[in-house]
Amino acid sequence: MLAPRESIYTHYQPAYIPDHEPGAAAYWFISRTGNLLIRETADGVEIPEAAESGELGLAIRRTQYVGTWKGTPCYAASAESEIASVEGLAFHPLRSLYGKMDEGLFHLAGRAVQLAAFGLTHRFCGTCGTETVPSPKEHALLCPACGSVSFPRLAPAVITVILKDRQVLLARAKHFTNNMYGLIAGFVEPGETLEDCVRRETKEEIGIIVTNIRYFGSQQWPFPHSLMIGFIADYESGEIHVDGEEIVEAGWFDSDKLPVIPSPVSIARKMLDWYVEQYAG
């Protein structure tokens, strides 16, 4: 049901070993504490392009080749410090860049930021403590001593539009600002199916039972390393009782009387836009 969006693979070709000529210009996806280095121009923002990372004026570590974007080589890396003095370059929160660059490129930036963070948190083998090395075949880190393999962490989470007649259930989490309301969401636990997670999170957070769970769509969510899987579900029984820990308020809303809802960067907003389109009037 999620409207088609540009795939990351429309212009992106993943690879693990550089095969370009030495000195070729490359895109550098450099992150620091979750922020991405971008070049600000009169027309918007761009990923910095350089033959070598040193041209960008900052020290980096754990460089990883990630493939090509429209034929141009791409590297992911972590910065050790703030940008020094290269005009036009600055670190920005990745989420703030949505809508300012090609959507497929935004997805690639999210991939690069996650891979860079993975490289930092898995510098050493969790089994024997030996320093890891990149795999030549996939985005993974290998232990040269014991052979252990570590893959990038990905945390699946469900998010659900819950319908009752023509109304939608919206909830305000304790950490939300600007009196914003959103959808019920939560991380999948060991032993659960995605549908089980929808049932459990809904019961735990607002006390109701849902039925007729069906798939809506998914979204990569690199904040810091999630995959959001969207569902639609129908109300079956129960009264709203918020848990008071994660959710502090919840209620049923009509399509023409929604409170402040999430921004367009999130699948939550896309799901609510779908709801309004289906149930307007």
Tab-separated table of all heavy atoms in Angstrom, residues 172-227:
chain	number	residue	atom	x	y	z
A	172	ARG	N	0.725	9.658	22.133
A	172	ARG	CA	1.829	10.580	22.407
A	172	ARG	C	2.819	9.921	23.349
A	172	ARG	O	2.481	9.566	24.477
A	172	ARG	CB	1.306	11.883	23.015
A	172	ARG	CG	2.395	12.960	23.164
A	172	ARG	CD	1.802	14.320	23.456
A	172	ARG	NE	1.183	14.369	24.765
A	172	ARG	CZ	1.855	14.600	25.900
A	172	ARG	NH1	3.158	14.779	25.876
A	172	ARG	NH2	1.206	14.643	27.042
A	173	ALA	N	4.036	9.722	22.834
A	173	ALA	CA	5.092	9.126	23.638
A	173	ALA	C	5.705	10.176	24.569
A	173	ALA	O	5.649	11.380	24.286
A	173	ALA	CB	6.170	8.531	22.731
A	174	LYS	N	6.289	9.717	25.643
A	174	LYS	CA	6.843	10.621	26.641
A	174	LYS	C	7.917	11.522	26.046
A	174	LYS	O	8.056	12.690	26.427
A	174	LYS	CB	7.414	9.808	27.807
A	174	LYS	CG	7.962	10.650	28.943
A	174	LYS	CD	8.503	9.777	30.066
A	174	LYS	CE	7.406	8.985	30.738
A	174	LYS	NZ	7.904	8.241	31.930
A	175	HIS	N	8.686	10.997	25.065
A	175	HIS	CA	9.801	11.768	24.514
A	175	HIS	C	9.408	12.671	23.356
A	175	HIS	O	10.227	13.427	22.850
A	175	HIS	CB	10.918	10.827	24.054
A	175	HIS	CG	10.531	9.960	22.885
A	175	HIS	ND1	9.831	8.784	23.041
A	175	HIS	CD2	10.722	10.115	21.548
A	175	HIS	CE1	9.636	8.240	21.863
A	175	HIS	NE2	10.156	9.026	20.938
A	176	PHE	N	8.134	12.630	22.915
A	176	PHE	CA	7.707	13.474	21.797
A	176	PHE	C	7.706	14.938	22.214
A	176	PHE	O	7.330	15.287	23.341
A	176	PHE	CB	6.303	13.090	21.332
A	176	PHE	CG	6.249	11.845	20.489
A	176	PHE	CD1	5.026	11.348	20.053
A	176	PHE	CD2	7.396	11.166	20.127
A	176	PHE	CE1	4.956	10.205	19.268
A	176	PHE	CE2	7.338	10.023	19.348
A	176	PHE	CZ	6.110	9.538	18.921
A	177	THR	N	8.067	15.794	21.264
A	177	THR	CA	8.038	17.239	21.504
A	177	THR	C	6.893	17.871	20.711
A	177	THR	O	6.284	17.232	19.854
A	177	THR	CB	9.371	17.885	21.089
A	177	THR	OG1	9.613	17.626	19.700
A	177	THR	CG2	10.521	17.325	21.914
A	178	ASN	N	6.610	19.132	21.002
A	178	ASN	CA	5.589	19.916	20.282
A	178	ASN	C	4.207	19.267	20.338
A	178	ASN	O	3.406	19.435	19.414
A	178	ASN	CB	6.003	20.122	18.821
A	178	ASN	CG	7.329	20.847	18.708
A	178	ASN	OD1	7.619	21.747	19.486
A	178	ASN	ND2	8.139	20.447	17.741
A	179	ASN	N	3.959	18.512	21.401
A	179	ASN	CA	2.652	17.863	21.576
A	179	ASN	C	2.293	16.972	20.377
A	179	ASN	O	1.124	16.868	20.002
A	179	ASN	CB	1.562	18.914	21.792
A	179	ASN	CG	0.358	18.334	22.523
A	179	ASN	OD1	0.490	17.441	23.356
A	179	ASN	ND2	-0.827	18.845	22.210
A	180	MET	N	3.315	16.329	19.797
A	180	MET	CA	3.105	15.479	18.626
A	180	MET	C	2.536	14.125	19.031
A	180	MET	O	2.849	13.591	20.090
A	180	MET	CB	4.435	15.259	17.886
A	180	MET	CG	4.308	14.477	16.593
A	180	MET	SD	5.908	14.243	15.781
A	180	MET	CE	6.614	12.947	16.817
A	181	TYR	N	1.678	13.584	18.158
A	181	TYR	CA	1.132	12.247	18.320
A	181	TYR	C	1.604	11.375	17.157
A	181	TYR	O	1.773	11.863	16.032
A	181	TYR	CB	-0.397	12.279	18.327
A	181	TYR	CG	-1.013	12.710	19.632
A	181	TYR	CD1	-0.870	14.015	20.086
A	181	TYR	CD2	-1.743	11.807	20.405
A	181	TYR	CE1	-1.437	14.426	21.280
A	181	TYR	CE2	-2.321	12.207	21.604
A	181	TYR	CZ	-2.164	13.515	22.034
A	181	TYR	OH	-2.728	13.904	23.220
A	182	GLY	N	1.789	10.080	17.419
A	182	GLY	CA	2.229	9.161	16.380
A	182	GLY	C	1.519	7.824	16.478
A	182	GLY	O	0.470	7.696	17.118
A	183	LEU	N	2.102	6.829	15.846
A	183	LEU	CA	1.534	5.488	15.805
A	183	LEU	C	2.221	4.585	16.822
A	183	LEU	O	3.344	4.846	17.254
A	183	LEU	CB	1.695	4.904	14.398
A	183	LEU	CG	1.065	5.711	13.259
A	183	LEU	CD1	1.398	5.079	11.920
A	183	LEU	CD2	-0.442	5.837	13.444
A	184	ILE	N	1.549	3.502	17.169
A	184	ILE	CA	2.138	2.520	18.079
A	184	ILE	C	3.256	1.775	17.345
A	184	ILE	O	3.066	1.276	16.233
A	184	ILE	CB	1.073	1.524	18.572
A	184	ILE	CG1	-0.013	2.267	19.358
A	184	ILE	CG2	1.700	0.430	19.420
A	184	ILE	CD1	0.501	2.994	20.590
A	185	ALA	N	4.426	1.705	17.970
A	185	ALA	CA	5.588	1.071	17.335
A	185	ALA	C	6.454	0.425	18.403
A	185	ALA	O	6.373	0.767	19.595
A	185	ALA	CB	6.398	2.104	16.551
A	186	GLY	N	7.279	-0.507	17.973
A	186	GLY	CA	8.184	-1.154	18.922
A	186	GLY	C	9.076	-2.176	18.238
A	186	GLY	O	8.802	-2.617	17.117
A	187	PHE	N	10.149	-2.538	18.911
A	187	PHE	CA	11.121	-3.473	18.355
A	187	PHE	C	10.662	-4.917	18.497
A	187	PHE	O	10.024	-5.290	19.494
A	187	PHE	CB	12.477	-3.293	19.044
A	187	PHE	CG	13.156	-2.007	18.678
A	187	PHE	CD1	13.175	-0.941	19.570
A	187	PHE	CD2	13.760	-1.844	17.444
A	187	PHE	CE1	13.793	0.256	19.240
A	187	PHE	CE2	14.383	-0.659	17.098
A	187	PHE	CZ	14.408	0.395	17.990
A	188	VAL	N	11.006	-5.703	17.501
A	188	VAL	CA	10.686	-7.128	17.506
A	188	VAL	C	11.587	-7.849	18.507
A	188	VAL	O	12.796	-7.595	18.565
A	188	VAL	CB	10.873	-7.724	16.100
A	188	VAL	CG1	10.509	-9.205	16.090
A	188	VAL	CG2	10.032	-6.961	15.083
A	189	GLU	N	11.004	-8.743	19.285
A	189	GLU	CA	11.756	-9.496	20.282
A	189	GLU	C	12.018	-10.924	19.800
A	189	GLU	O	11.326	-11.425	18.896
A	189	GLU	CB	10.972	-9.522	21.603
A	189	GLU	CG	10.832	-8.146	22.245
A	189	GLU	CD	10.202	-8.205	23.616
A	189	GLU	OE1	9.730	-9.309	24.023
A	189	GLU	OE2	10.174	-7.155	24.299
A	190	PRO	N	13.039	-11.580	20.363
A	190	PRO	CA	13.340	-12.962	19.965
A	190	PRO	C	12.114	-13.865	20.110
A	190	PRO	O	11.370	-13.776	21.095
A	190	PRO	CB	14.451	-13.371	20.941
A	190	PRO	CG	15.110	-12.087	21.316
A	190	PRO	CD	14.005	-11.080	21.360
A	191	GLY	N	11.893	-14.709	19.120
A	191	GLY	CA	10.785	-15.655	19.159
A	191	GLY	C	9.488	-15.132	18.600
A	191	GLY	O	8.511	-15.882	18.486
A	192	GLU	N	9.435	-13.831	18.239
A	192	GLU	CA	8.206	-13.243	17.729
A	192	GLU	C	8.171	-13.233	16.203
A	192	GLU	O	9.204	-13.093	15.549
A	192	GLU	CB	8.083	-11.780	18.178
A	192	GLU	CG	7.742	-11.577	19.617
A	192	GLU	CD	7.519	-10.109	19.928
A	192	GLU	OE1	8.193	-9.240	19.328
A	192	GLU	OE2	6.665	-9.816	20.774
A	193	THR	N	6.968	-13.337	15.653
A	193	THR	CA	6.749	-12.931	14.271
A	193	THR	C	6.469	-11.433	14.289
A	193	THR	O	6.238	-10.823	15.346
A	193	THR	CB	5.542	-13.661	13.653
A	193	THR	OG1	4.348	-13.261	14.368
A	193	THR	CG2	5.707	-15.174	13.734
A	194	LEU	N	6.461	-10.822	13.119
A	194	LEU	CA	6.139	-9.398	13.045
A	194	LEU	C	4.722	-9.139	13.543
A	194	LEU	O	4.461	-8.160	14.254
A	194	LEU	CB	6.300	-8.901	11.610
A	194	LEU	CG	7.714	-9.005	11.016
A	194	LEU	CD1	7.694	-8.579	9.549
A	194	LEU	CD2	8.702	-8.161	11.803
A	195	GLU	N	3.800	-10.029	13.173
A	195	GLU	CA	2.409	-9.870	13.612
A	195	GLU	C	2.280	-10.030	15.129
A	195	GLU	O	1.504	-9.317	15.777
A	195	GLU	CB	1.515	-10.880	12.890
A	195	GLU	CG	1.383	-10.644	11.396
A	195	GLU	CD	2.538	-11.224	10.582
A	195	GLU	OE1	3.485	-11.793	11.181
A	195	GLU	OE2	2.503	-11.121	9.350
A	196	ASP	N	3.054	-10.957	15.705
A	196	ASP	CA	3.055	-11.104	17.161
A	196	ASP	C	3.516	-9.816	17.829
A	196	ASP	O	2.984	-9.404	18.869
A	196	ASP	CB	3.995	-12.240	17.584
A	196	ASP	CG	3.387	-13.613	17.373
A	196	ASP	OD1	2.161	-13.703	17.255
A	196	ASP	OD2	4.156	-14.598	17.333
A	197	CYS	N	4.518	-9.193	17.235
A	197	CYS	CA	5.041	-7.943	17.805
A	197	CYS	C	3.979	-6.853	17.760
A	197	CYS	O	3.831	-6.082	18.716
A	197	CYS	CB	6.292	-7.513	17.034
A	197	CYS	SG	7.100	-6.059	17.742
A	198	VAL	N	3.221	-6.780	16.668
A	198	VAL	CA	2.128	-5.807	16.587
A	198	VAL	C	1.142	-6.029	17.730
A	198	VAL	O	0.746	-5.086	18.434
A	198	VAL	CB	1.394	-5.921	15.231
A	198	VAL	CG1	0.097	-5.109	15.251
A	198	VAL	CG2	2.290	-5.452	14.088
A	199	ARG	N	0.753	-7.281	17.954
A	199	ARG	CA	-0.215	-7.586	19.024
A	199	ARG	C	0.353	-7.227	20.397
A	199	ARG	O	-0.335	-6.617	21.230
A	199	ARG	CB	-0.579	-9.068	18.972
A	199	ARG	CG	-1.277	-9.504	17.691
A	199	ARG	CD	-1.665	-10.970	17.746
A	199	ARG	NE	-2.232	-11.425	16.482
A	199	ARG	CZ	-1.536	-12.060	15.526
A	199	ARG	NH1	-0.256	-12.333	15.718
A	199	ARG	NH2	-2.114	-12.425	14.400
A	200	ARG	N	1.600	-7.635	20.651
A	200	ARG	CA	2.190	-7.410	21.971
A	200	ARG	C	2.374	-5.924	22.260
A	200	ARG	O	1.994	-5.434	23.344
A	200	ARG	CB	3.543	-8.126	22.066
A	200	ARG	CG	4.274	-7.854	23.399
A	200	ARG	CD	5.641	-8.496	23.437
A	200	ARG	NE	6.479	-8.093	22.313
A	200	ARG	CZ	7.111	-6.917	22.240
A	200	ARG	NH1	6.986	-6.022	23.205
A	200	ARG	NH2	7.873	-6.641	21.193
A	201	GLU	N	2.962	-5.187	21.318
A	201	GLU	CA	3.212	-3.768	21.550
A	201	GLU	C	1.909	-3.005	21.772
A	201	GLU	O	1.823	-2.129	22.633
A	201	GLU	CB	3.981	-3.169	20.364
A	201	GLU	CG	5.451	-3.560	20.293
A	201	GLU	CD	6.286	-2.893	21.368
A	201	GLU	OE1	5.813	-1.932	22.003
A	201	GLU	OE2	7.429	-3.349	21.590
A	202	THR	N	0.893	-3.337	21.004
A	202	THR	CA	-0.398	-2.665	21.158
A	202	THR	C	-1.003	-2.947	22.529
A	202	THR	O	-1.485	-2.040	23.218
A	202	THR	CB	-1.370	-3.108	20.055
A	202	THR	OG1	-0.780	-2.858	18.773
A	202	THR	CG2	-2.686	-2.360	20.155
A	203	LYS	N	-0.956	-4.210	22.956
A	203	LYS	CA	-1.512	-4.585	24.264
A	203	LYS	C	-0.710	-3.956	25.397
A	203	LYS	O	-1.286	-3.434	26.364
A	203	LYS	CB	-1.513	-6.110	24.410
A	203	LYS	CG	-2.220	-6.621	25.671
A	203	LYS	CD	-3.714	-6.382	25.576
A	203	LYS	CE	-4.484	-7.142	26.650
A	203	LYS	NZ	-4.136	-6.701	28.018
A	204	GLU	N	0.621	-3.973	25.276
A	204	GLU	CA	1.465	-3.435	26.337
A	204	GLU	C	1.320	-1.924	26.480
A	204	GLU	O	1.251	-1.401	27.602
A	204	GLU	CB	2.935	-3.772	26.070
A	204	GLU	CG	3.316	-5.223	26.296
A	204	GLU	CD	4.776	-5.477	26.014
A	204	GLU	OE1	5.477	-4.565	25.510
A	204	GLU	OE2	5.231	-6.603	26.294
A	205	GLU	N	1.279	-1.219	25.372
A	205	GLU	CA	1.353	0.235	25.432
A	205	GLU	C	0.006	0.912	25.626
A	205	GLU	O	-0.071	1.957	26.275
A	205	GLU	CB	2.038	0.779	24.174
A	205	GLU	CG	3.512	0.364	24.094
A	205	GLU	CD	4.259	1.054	22.972
A	205	GLU	OE1	3.619	1.777	22.164
A	205	GLU	OE2	5.486	0.860	22.884
A	206	ILE	N	-1.078	0.335	25.051
A	206	ILE	CA	-2.373	1.017	25.176
A	206	ILE	C	-3.511	0.084	25.614
A	206	ILE	O	-4.647	0.516	25.739
A	206	ILE	CB	-2.769	1.722	23.868
A	206	ILE	CG1	-2.771	0.740	22.696
A	206	ILE	CG2	-1.845	2.892	23.592
A	206	ILE	CD1	-3.342	1.325	21.431
A	207	GLY	N	-3.219	-1.203	25.834
A	207	GLY	CA	-4.192	-2.087	26.466
A	207	GLY	C	-5.297	-2.636	25.600
A	207	GLY	O	-6.261	-3.190	26.128
A	208	ILE	N	-5.229	-2.499	24.275
A	208	ILE	CA	-6.311	-3.019	23.442
A	208	ILE	C	-5.845	-4.212	22.605
A	208	ILE	O	-4.648	-4.454	22.443
A	208	ILE	CB	-6.911	-1.933	22.517
A	208	ILE	CG1	-5.901	-1.508	21.458
A	208	ILE	CG2	-7.383	-0.731	23.319
A	208	ILE	CD1	-6.494	-0.597	20.400
A	209	ILE	N	-6.821	-4.952	22.073
A	209	ILE	CA	-6.570	-6.117	21.225
A	209	ILE	C	-6.872	-5.726	19.774
A	209	ILE	O	-7.888	-5.077	19.501
A	209	ILE	CB	-7.466	-7.303	21.635
A	209	ILE	CG1	-7.307	-7.610	23.123
A	209	ILE	CG2	-7.145	-8.526	20.784
A	209	ILE	CD1	-5.924	-8.022	23.536
A	210	VAL	N	-5.989	-6.129	18.858
A	210	VAL	CA	-6.208	-5.835	17.442
A	210	VAL	C	-6.342	-7.127	16.651
A	210	VAL	O	-5.922	-8.206	17.096
A	210	VAL	CB	-5.062	-4.978	16.853
A	210	VAL	CG1	-5.039	-3.600	17.490
A	210	VAL	CG2	-3.722	-5.679	17.004
A	211	THR	N	-6.934	-7.004	15.466
A	211	THR	CA	-7.128	-8.163	14.595
A	211	THR	C	-6.903	-7.729	13.143
A	211	THR	O	-6.682	-6.550	12.853
A	211	THR	CB	-8.551	-8.726	14.772
A	211	THR	OG1	-8.670	-9.943	14.034
A	211	THR	CG2	-9.604	-7.744	14.290
A	212	ASN	N	-6.985	-8.700	12.210
A	212	ASN	CA	-6.873	-8.427	10.774
A	212	ASN	C	-5.621	-7.613	10.450
A	212	ASN	O	-5.665	-6.577	9.778
A	212	ASN	CB	-8.124	-7.685	10.275
A	212	ASN	CG	-8.202	-7.634	8.754
A	212	ASN	OD1	-7.632	-8.488	8.067
A	212	ASN	ND2	-8.883	-6.636	8.228
A	213	ILE	N	-4.486	-8.101	10.908
A	213	ILE	CA	-3.210	-7.411	10.694
A	213	ILE	C	-2.726	-7.673	9.270
A	213	ILE	O	-2.632	-8.818	8.846
A	213	ILE	CB	-2.166	-7.909	11.713
A	213	ILE	CG1	-2.647	-7.619	13.143
A	213	ILE	CG2	-0.814	-7.254	11.459
A	213	ILE	CD1	-1.849	-8.332	14.217
A	214	ARG	N	-2.441	-6.593	8.528
A	214	ARG	CA	-1.933	-6.764	7.165
A	214	ARG	C	-0.791	-5.781	6.894
A	214	ARG	O	-0.728	-4.706	7.478
A	214	ARG	CB	-3.039	-6.609	6.123
A	214	ARG	CG	-3.804	-5.307	6.104
A	214	ARG	CD	-5.042	-5.353	6.965
A	214	ARG	NE	-5.961	-4.241	6.680
A	214	ARG	CZ	-6.842	-3.811	7.580
A	214	ARG	NH1	-6.939	-4.363	8.779
A	214	ARG	NH2	-7.666	-2.814	7.250
A	215	TYR	N	0.058	-6.194	5.961
A	215	TYR	CA	1.281	-5.458	5.653
A	215	TYR	C	0.968	-4.169	4.901
A	215	TYR	O	0.109	-4.129	4.032
A	215	TYR	CB	2.193	-6.346	4.814
A	215	TYR	CG	3.493	-5.709	4.370
A	215	TYR	CD1	4.506	-5.443	5.287
A	215	TYR	CD2	3.700	-5.386	3.036
A	215	TYR	CE1	5.703	-4.874	4.880
A	215	TYR	CE2	4.897	-4.815	2.617
A	215	TYR	CZ	5.893	-4.559	3.543
A	215	TYR	OH	7.079	-3.989	3.128
A	216	PHE	N	1.702	-3.113	5.237
A	216	PHE	CA	1.556	-1.824	4.566
A	216	PHE	C	2.786	-1.486	3.720
A	216	PHE	O	2.679	-1.159	2.549
A	216	PHE	CB	1.331	-0.721	5.604
A	216	PHE	CG	1.186	0.656	5.003
A	216	PHE	CD1	-0.055	1.151	4.667
A	216	PHE	CD2	2.297	1.462	4.790
A	216	PHE	CE1	-0.193	2.418	4.109
A	216	PHE	CE2	2.169	2.734	4.232
A	216	PHE	CZ	0.925	3.207	3.889
A	217	GLY	N	3.961	-1.542	4.297
A	217	GLY	CA	5.201	-1.185	3.604
A	217	GLY	C	6.338	-1.106	4.606
A	217	GLY	O	6.145	-1.319	5.809
A	218	SER	N	7.530	-0.793	4.124
A	218	SER	CA	8.686	-0.729	5.021
A	218	SER	C	9.546	0.477	4.686
A	218	SER	O	9.417	1.090	3.621
A	218	SER	CB	9.515	-2.010	4.926
A	218	SER	OG	10.088	-2.146	3.635
A	219	GLN	N	10.435	0.808	5.610
A	219	GLN	CA	11.323	1.952	5.430
A	219	GLN	C	12.623	1.704	6.178
A	219	GLN	O	12.617	1.304	7.347
A	219	GLN	CB	10.665	3.226	5.964
A	219	GLN	CG	11.552	4.463	5.857
A	219	GLN	CD	10.938	5.675	6.520
A	219	GLN	OE1	10.228	5.574	7.513
A	219	GLN	NE2	11.205	6.860	5.973
A	220	GLN	N	13.733	1.931	5.481
A	220	GLN	CA	15.014	1.927	6.203
A	220	GLN	C	15.016	3.120	7.150
A	220	GLN	O	14.504	4.188	6.825
A	220	GLN	CB	16.180	1.983	5.214
A	220	GLN	CG	16.196	3.183	4.272
A	220	GLN	CD	16.900	4.399	4.838
A	220	GLN	OE1	17.711	4.280	5.753
A	220	GLN	NE2	16.585	5.574	4.323
A	221	TRP	N	15.568	2.956	8.320
A	221	TRP	CA	15.518	3.996	9.352
A	221	TRP	C	16.870	4.015	10.073
A	221	TRP	O	17.042	3.377	11.109
A	221	TRP	CB	14.367	3.707	10.314
A	221	TRP	CG	14.021	4.820	11.256
A	221	TRP	CD1	14.194	4.834	12.611
A	221	TRP	CD2	13.432	6.086	10.916
A	221	TRP	NE1	13.757	6.014	13.138
A	221	TRP	CE2	13.278	6.812	12.120
A	221	TRP	CE3	13.029	6.678	9.713
A	221	TRP	CZ2	12.735	8.096	12.162
A	221	TRP	CZ3	12.494	7.955	9.756
A	221	TRP	CH2	12.349	8.647	10.970
A	222	PRO	N	17.839	4.731	9.533
A	222	PRO	CA	19.205	4.694	10.075
A	222	PRO	C	19.406	5.580	11.294
A	222	PRO	O	20.374	6.334	11.378
A	222	PRO	CB	20.031	5.180	8.884
A	222	PRO	CG	19.127	6.136	8.175
A	222	PRO	CD	17.744	5.567	8.326
A	223	PHE	N	18.485	5.524	12.251
A	223	PHE	CA	18.547	6.371	13.441
A	223	PHE	C	18.454	5.536	14.724
A	223	PHE	O	17.467	5.651	15.455
A	223	PHE	CB	17.435	7.433	13.384
A	223	PHE	CG	17.349	8.183	12.093
A	223	PHE	CD1	16.258	8.007	11.252
A	223	PHE	CD2	18.347	9.050	11.697
A	223	PHE	CE1	16.158	8.695	10.051
A	223	PHE	CE2	18.264	9.740	10.500
A	223	PHE	CZ	17.168	9.558	9.678
A	224	PRO	N	19.384	4.663	15.078
A	224	PRO	CA	20.659	4.537	14.357
A	224	PRO	C	20.729	3.361	13.380
A	224	PRO	O	21.525	3.390	12.459
A	224	PRO	CB	21.658	4.339	15.485
A	224	PRO	CG	20.876	3.595	16.527
A	224	PRO	CD	19.463	4.087	16.434
A	225	HIS	N	19.927	2.297	13.569
A	225	HIS	CA	20.127	1.119	12.696
A	225	HIS	C	18.870	0.247	12.677
A	225	HIS	O	18.912	-0.942	12.960
A	225	HIS	CB	21.321	0.287	13.175
A	225	HIS	CG	21.381	0.110	14.665
A	225	HIS	ND1	20.415	-0.574	15.373
A	225	HIS	CD2	22.278	0.549	15.572
A	225	HIS	CE1	20.729	-0.565	16.647
A	225	HIS	NE2	21.850	0.110	16.810
A	226	SER	N	17.740	0.851	12.318
A	226	SER	CA	16.471	0.124	12.352
A	226	SER	C	15.929	-0.137	10.947
A	226	SER	O	16.362	0.477	9.972
A	226	SER	CB	15.422	0.898	13.146
A	226	SER	OG	15.825	1.076	14.485
A	227	LEU	N	14.996	-1.055	10.879
A	227	LEU	CA	14.171	-1.274	9.695
A	227	LEU	C	12.736	-1.214	10.182
A	227	LEU	O	12.313	-2.030	11.008
A	227	LEU	CB	14.459	-2.628	9.051
A	227	LEU	CG	13.509	-3.020	7.905
A	227	LEU	CD1	13.698	-2.074	6.713
A	227	LEU	CD2	13.751	-4.465	7.471
